[in-house]
Amino acid sequence: MRAEGFSGYKDLKLVEIPKPAVSDGRVLVRITAAGVTPLEHTILSGGYPRAKAPLVLGGEGAGVVEGGGETAFPVGSRVMFTGPYGVSENGAYSEWLAVRKENLCLIPDNIEALSAAGVPVAYLTAQMTLSFAGFAKGKTVLAPAIGGSVGNAVTQLARAQGAKHAISTTTNHAKAQQARYLGFEDVIDLSEEKLSDGVRRITGGYGADIVIDAIGGETLSEALGTLAMGGSLTTLGYSAGRKATIDVTDLIWKRANMKSFSLFSQPAEVWTTAWSVIFRLLESGAVKPIVAKTFPLAEAADALRYLVEGRPFGKVVLTI
C-alpha cells in the first residue's frame, strides 16, 4: 500500500512492486501484520518533510523470516520490528520487507502476530523512557492518554515492573470505565476531575516521580505540575499541540528535570536492553498488548482514519 503523494487518504494506492532481495545485514521477512501509527497519518498529510513519495508506509510490523536471518533469526522464525521503514525507505504496509537485523526481535510463542505488530514503537519507547528517567520498583509513574499506544505501554510496563502507582488519564468517561475493566486501576477521568487533583488523590499528595508525556500542549503543562520532589518529565509527542506554557517553579522548587526523547536516535545497546525486558514481560504474560481493531491491507486508509478520528482503545493493525 503505497503513498503516491502526500495530500491525504486518496493518495494511498495498492500497487505491485518487486520483491526485495536479501542483502548484507538484512533479513527477508514475509509480513503478516503491520501496526498503524499516527506517524503514517502525519506523512500522508504532508507533515513530515523528510519523507519522499512514492513511499510504502508502515513503521512497524510482524512476520516470518524467509531468508538471511542465519542462526539468530532462522527461516520460519516469527519476528517483530520497527525502524526507518515507511519514512526514509519502503515500509511494512507490504507483503515483503528486507529488515535490518538490528531492528528485529523474536516474538514469544504466546503472542499472536496481530498483537506483536503493534508492540515495537510504543513498547520500546515506553521501556527506554522509563529507564532513562530512573524507573525502579516503588516509583510512581504518570503517562497521560490511556487507550493510546504510549499511554498503554508505559502504564503496563511500569505496573509489571513494580510501580507503586501507574497512572494514566482520559477525557472520555466511557474510555475510563473500559480502562478500569481491563485492569488499569489508576485512571484519572478528566471529565470529572483535574489532572493535578487526580494525581494528588491517587498518591496521597506525593505526586509523580516520572511523567512520560506523548501528548504535548496543555497536557504537558498540567503534567509538569504533578511532579514529585526530584521528579522527571520526558516529552516525546505533540498530538495535543506543539506549544506549551510551563511554570518554571514546577522544575525549580521541586528540583525536577525535563527532557526529550526520540526512539530512532538511540544506540544499538539501548535497543537490545529494551527488547530483552519487553520480550521477558510478554513471554511471562505480565504485559498483554491490546488490539482495538484490524483491517485488511487494502483498507489502510480506513485504518488510519479510524486511528486518528476514532481514537480507539488499543492498537489498530493491518492484516497482510
Side-chain angles (χ1 to χ4, degrees), residues 227-232 248-258:
L227 285 176
M229 192 67 67
S232 171
V248 294
T249 63
D250 288 330
L251 296 171
I252 297 169
W253 292 351
K254 296 176 181 176
R255 300 192 297 277
N257 68 77
M258 185 175 174

Side-chain angles (χ1 to χ4, degrees), residues 56-273:
V56 177
L57 299 181
E60 65 179 1
V64 179
V65 173
E66 295 288 334
E70 301 174 345
T71 56
F73 302 102
V75 171
S77 298
R78 298 190 313 137
V79 293
M80 52 187 169
F81 63 89
T82 186
Y85 317 104
V87 179
S88 58
E89 59 185 89
N90 283 338
Y93 288 15
S94 183
E95 293 178 315
W96 303 89
L97 191 64
V99 182
R100 295 173 181 82
K101 290 180 183 178
E102 62 266 27
N103 296 147
L104 291 169
C105 180
L106 295 172
I107 300 173
D109 292 340
N110 60 314
I111 301 296
E112 295 182 356
L114 281 177
S115 297
V119 164
V121 171
Y123 286 82
L124 283 168
T125 295
Q127 183 57 36
M128 290 180 194
T129 52
L130 284 170
S131 178
F132 292 160
F135 176 80
K137 186 176 180 180
K139 296 276 190 179
T140 290
V141 176
L142 167 64
I146 198 67
S149 57
V150 174
N152 283 353
V154 172
T155 308
Q156 286 183 321
L157 288 170
R159 184 174 57 183
Q161 295 174 86
K164 183 175 183 179
H165 297 288
I167 306 169
S168 193
T169 70
T170 180
T171 58
N172 184 299
H173 183 65
K175 191 172 283 188
Q177 292 180 310
Q178 183 180 3
R180 292 175 184 131
Y181 174 78
L182 291 171
F184 295 93
E185 298 173 356
D186 294 328
V187 176
I188 300 169
D189 185 347
L190 297 176
S191 69
E192 296 184 344
E193 64 179 333
K194 293 181 179 179
L195 177 57
S196 57
D197 292 340
V199 172
R200 190 178 302 112
R201 170 180 56 80
I202 291 168
T203 66
Y206 175 80
D209 295 302
I210 296 169
V211 175
I212 308 297
D213 175 49
I215 305 301
E218 190 61 30
T219 299
L220 184 150
S221 306
E222 295 176 5
L224 193 65
T226 70
L227 285 176
M229 192 67 67
S232 171
L233 182 146
T234 301
T235 176
L236 55 90
Y238 41 84
S239 61
R242 298 187 179 204
K243 297 185 182 298
T245 301
I246 69 170
D247 183 339
V248 294
T249 63
D250 288 330
L251 296 171
I252 297 169
W253 292 351
K254 296 176 181 176
R255 300 192 297 277
N257 68 77
M258 185 175 174
K259 62 186 76 174
S260 62
F261 176 82
S262 176
L263 177 61
F264 298 114
S265 66
Q266 305 308 316
E269 60 269 21
V270 172
W271 280 63
T272 300
T273 300

Side-chain angles (χ1 to χ4, degrees), residues 16 29 53 100 128 179 188 275 279 287:
E16 290 286 344
V29 178
R100 295 173 181 82
M128 290 180 194
I188 300 169
W275 270 132
F279 183 95
V287 167

Side-chain angles (χ1 to χ4, degrees), residues 1-23:
M1 182 60 74
R2 190 168 67 185
E4 302 299 315
F6 297 145
S7 58
Y9 298 122
K10 64 181 177 59
D11 283 339
L12 274 179
K13 307 293 182 183
L14 200 60
V15 298
E16 290 286 344
I17 60 175
K19 184 177 178 180
V22 177
S23 57

